[in-house]
Short mmCIF file of all heavy atoms in Angstrom, two decimals:
data_model
loop_
_atom_site.label_atom_id
_atom_site.label_comp_id
_atom_site.label_asym_id
_atom_site.label_seq_id
_atom_site.Cartn_x
_atom_site.Cartn_y
_atom_site.Cartn_z
N VAL A 860 -5.68 -13.44 11.89
CA VAL A 860 -5.46 -12.67 10.67
C VAL A 860 -4.28 -11.71 10.83
O VAL A 860 -3.46 -11.56 9.92
CB VAL A 860 -6.74 -11.87 10.29
CG1 VAL A 860 -6.47 -10.97 9.09
CG2 VAL A 860 -7.88 -12.83 9.98
N PHE A 861 -4.20 -11.08 12.01
CA PHE A 861 -3.11 -10.13 12.29
C PHE A 861 -2.27 -10.65 13.46
O PHE A 861 -2.55 -10.31 14.62
CB PHE A 861 -3.69 -8.75 12.62
CG PHE A 861 -4.64 -8.21 11.59
CD1 PHE A 861 -5.98 -8.00 11.89
CD2 PHE A 861 -4.19 -7.92 10.30
CE1 PHE A 861 -6.86 -7.50 10.93
CE2 PHE A 861 -5.06 -7.41 9.34
CZ PHE A 861 -6.40 -7.22 9.65
N PRO A 862 -1.27 -11.47 13.18
CA PRO A 862 -0.51 -12.13 14.23
C PRO A 862 0.14 -11.18 15.24
O PRO A 862 0.20 -11.50 16.43
CB PRO A 862 0.57 -12.90 13.45
CG PRO A 862 -0.05 -13.14 12.12
CD PRO A 862 -0.85 -11.92 11.84
N LEU A 863 0.61 -10.02 14.80
CA LEU A 863 1.24 -9.10 15.74
C LEU A 863 0.20 -8.51 16.70
O LEU A 863 0.49 -8.28 17.88
CB LEU A 863 1.97 -7.98 15.00
CG LEU A 863 3.21 -8.41 14.20
CD1 LEU A 863 3.93 -7.19 13.65
CD2 LEU A 863 4.15 -9.24 15.06
N PHE A 864 -1.00 -8.29 16.21
CA PHE A 864 -2.10 -7.88 17.09
C PHE A 864 -2.37 -8.98 18.10
O PHE A 864 -2.54 -8.72 19.30
CB PHE A 864 -3.36 -7.59 16.27
CG PHE A 864 -4.62 -7.53 17.09
CD1 PHE A 864 -4.90 -6.42 17.87
CD2 PHE A 864 -5.52 -8.59 17.08
CE1 PHE A 864 -6.06 -6.37 18.64
CE2 PHE A 864 -6.68 -8.54 17.85
CZ PHE A 864 -6.95 -7.43 18.62
N GLY A 865 -2.40 -10.23 17.63
CA GLY A 865 -2.63 -11.37 18.52
C GLY A 865 -1.58 -11.46 19.60
O GLY A 865 -1.90 -11.69 20.77
N ALA A 866 -0.31 -11.26 19.22
CA ALA A 866 0.78 -11.31 20.19
C ALA A 866 0.62 -10.21 21.24
O ALA A 866 0.84 -10.42 22.44
CB ALA A 866 2.12 -11.17 19.49
N SER A 867 0.22 -9.01 20.80
CA SER A 867 0.04 -7.90 21.74
C SER A 867 -1.12 -8.16 22.69
O SER A 867 -1.06 -7.79 23.87
CB SER A 867 -0.16 -6.59 20.97
OG SER A 867 -1.38 -6.59 20.26
N VAL A 868 -2.18 -8.80 22.19
CA VAL A 868 -3.32 -9.14 23.05
C VAL A 868 -2.91 -10.14 24.12
O VAL A 868 -3.32 -10.02 25.28
CB VAL A 868 -4.49 -9.71 22.20
CG1 VAL A 868 -5.56 -10.32 23.10
CG2 VAL A 868 -5.11 -8.61 21.35
N VAL A 869 -2.09 -11.12 23.74
CA VAL A 869 -1.60 -12.10 24.72
C VAL A 869 -0.79 -11.40 25.82
O VAL A 869 -0.95 -11.68 27.01
CB VAL A 869 -0.74 -13.18 24.03
CG1 VAL A 869 -0.03 -14.06 25.06
CG2 VAL A 869 -1.60 -14.04 23.11
N ILE A 870 0.07 -10.47 25.41
CA ILE A 870 0.89 -9.73 26.38
C ILE A 870 -0.01 -8.91 27.31
O ILE A 870 0.19 -8.89 28.54
CB ILE A 870 1.89 -8.81 25.65
CG1 ILE A 870 2.94 -9.66 24.92
CG2 ILE A 870 2.58 -7.87 26.65
CD1 ILE A 870 3.84 -8.86 24.01
N ILE A 871 -1.02 -8.25 26.73
CA ILE A 871 -1.95 -7.45 27.54
C ILE A 871 -2.69 -8.34 28.53
O ILE A 871 -2.87 -7.99 29.70
CB ILE A 871 -2.95 -6.70 26.63
CG1 ILE A 871 -2.23 -5.60 25.85
CG2 ILE A 871 -4.10 -6.10 27.46
CD1 ILE A 871 -3.08 -4.97 24.76
N ALA A 872 -3.14 -9.52 28.06
CA ALA A 872 -3.87 -10.46 28.92
C ALA A 872 -3.00 -10.92 30.09
O ALA A 872 -3.48 -11.02 31.23
CB ALA A 872 -4.35 -11.65 28.10
N ILE A 873 -1.72 -11.19 29.81
CA ILE A 873 -0.80 -11.63 30.87
C ILE A 873 -0.60 -10.51 31.89
O ILE A 873 -0.64 -10.75 33.11
CB ILE A 873 0.56 -12.05 30.26
CG1 ILE A 873 0.39 -13.33 29.44
CG2 ILE A 873 1.60 -12.26 31.36
CD1 ILE A 873 1.62 -13.71 28.64
N VAL A 874 -0.40 -9.29 31.41
CA VAL A 874 -0.22 -8.14 32.32
C VAL A 874 -1.46 -7.93 33.18
O VAL A 874 -1.37 -7.72 34.40
CB VAL A 874 0.11 -6.87 31.51
CG1 VAL A 874 0.08 -5.64 32.42
CG2 VAL A 874 1.46 -7.00 30.84
N GLU A 875 -2.65 -8.01 32.55
CA GLU A 875 -3.90 -7.84 33.30
C GLU A 875 -4.07 -8.93 34.35
O GLU A 875 -4.51 -8.67 35.47
CB GLU A 875 -5.09 -7.86 32.32
CG GLU A 875 -5.21 -6.62 31.45
CD GLU A 875 -5.70 -5.42 32.24
OE1 GLU A 875 -6.80 -5.49 32.83
OE2 GLU A 875 -4.97 -4.41 32.29
N PHE A 876 -3.69 -10.16 33.99
CA PHE A 876 -3.79 -11.28 34.93
C PHE A 876 -2.87 -11.07 36.12
O PHE A 876 -3.27 -11.26 37.28
CB PHE A 876 -3.44 -12.59 34.21
CG PHE A 876 -3.36 -13.79 35.13
CD1 PHE A 876 -4.52 -14.36 35.62
CD2 PHE A 876 -2.13 -14.32 35.51
CE1 PHE A 876 -4.45 -15.47 36.47
CE2 PHE A 876 -2.06 -15.41 36.35
CZ PHE A 876 -3.23 -15.99 36.84
N LEU A 877 -1.63 -10.66 35.86
CA LEU A 877 -0.66 -10.43 36.94
C LEU A 877 -1.10 -9.27 37.82
O LEU A 877 -0.91 -9.31 39.04
CB LEU A 877 0.73 -10.17 36.35
CG LEU A 877 1.38 -11.36 35.61
CD1 LEU A 877 2.71 -10.94 35.00
CD2 LEU A 877 1.58 -12.53 36.57
N ARG A 878 -1.66 -8.24 37.23
CA ARG A 878 -2.16 -7.10 38.00
C ARG A 878 -3.30 -7.54 38.90
O ARG A 878 -3.41 -7.11 40.06
CB ARG A 878 -2.64 -5.98 37.08
CG ARG A 878 -1.52 -5.18 36.42
CD ARG A 878 -2.08 -4.11 35.52
NE ARG A 878 -2.89 -3.15 36.28
CZ ARG A 878 -3.65 -2.22 35.73
NH1 ARG A 878 -3.75 -2.14 34.40
NH2 ARG A 878 -4.35 -1.39 36.48
N GLY A 879 -4.16 -8.42 38.37
CA GLY A 879 -5.28 -8.93 39.15
C GLY A 879 -4.81 -9.75 40.35
O GLY A 879 -5.33 -9.63 41.45
N ARG A 880 -3.79 -10.59 40.11
CA ARG A 880 -3.25 -11.41 41.19
C ARG A 880 -2.60 -10.55 42.26
O ARG A 880 -2.73 -10.78 43.45
CB ARG A 880 -2.22 -12.40 40.63
CG ARG A 880 -2.83 -13.56 39.85
CD ARG A 880 -1.87 -14.69 39.69
NE ARG A 880 -1.50 -15.24 41.00
CZ ARG A 880 -0.61 -16.24 41.15
NH1 ARG A 880 -0.02 -16.75 40.09
NH2 ARG A 880 -0.32 -16.70 42.35
N LYS A 881 -1.90 -9.51 41.80
CA LYS A 881 -1.22 -8.61 42.74
C LYS A 881 -2.24 -7.89 43.61
O LYS A 881 -2.03 -7.69 44.82
CB LYS A 881 -0.38 -7.59 41.95
CG LYS A 881 0.47 -6.71 42.86
CD LYS A 881 1.35 -5.79 42.00
CE LYS A 881 2.19 -4.88 42.91
NZ LYS A 881 3.02 -3.96 42.11
N ALA A 882 -3.36 -7.51 43.01
CA ALA A 882 -4.42 -6.81 43.76
C ALA A 882 -5.02 -7.71 44.83
O ALA A 882 -5.35 -7.29 45.93
CB ALA A 882 -5.50 -6.32 42.80
N VAL A 883 -5.17 -9.01 44.48
CA VAL A 883 -5.74 -9.97 45.43
C VAL A 883 -4.78 -10.20 46.60
O VAL A 883 -5.17 -10.27 47.77
CB VAL A 883 -6.05 -11.31 44.72
CG1 VAL A 883 -6.43 -12.37 45.74
CG2 VAL A 883 -7.16 -11.12 43.70
N ILE A 884 -3.47 -10.33 46.27
CA ILE A 884 -2.46 -10.58 47.30
C ILE A 884 -2.33 -9.34 48.20
O ILE A 884 -2.24 -9.42 49.41
CB ILE A 884 -1.09 -10.91 46.65
CG1 ILE A 884 -1.19 -12.23 45.91
CG2 ILE A 884 0.01 -10.97 47.70
CD1 ILE A 884 0.01 -12.55 45.06
#
Side-chain angles (χ1 to χ4, degrees):
V860 175
F861 306 115
L863 292 187
F864 164 76
S867 66
V868 168
V869 170
I870 293 171
I871 290 170
I873 292 172
V874 171
E875 288 287 302
F876 174 75
L877 294 176
R878 285 179 62 190
R880 286 197 63 182
K881 186 176 179 181
V883 171
I884 294 171

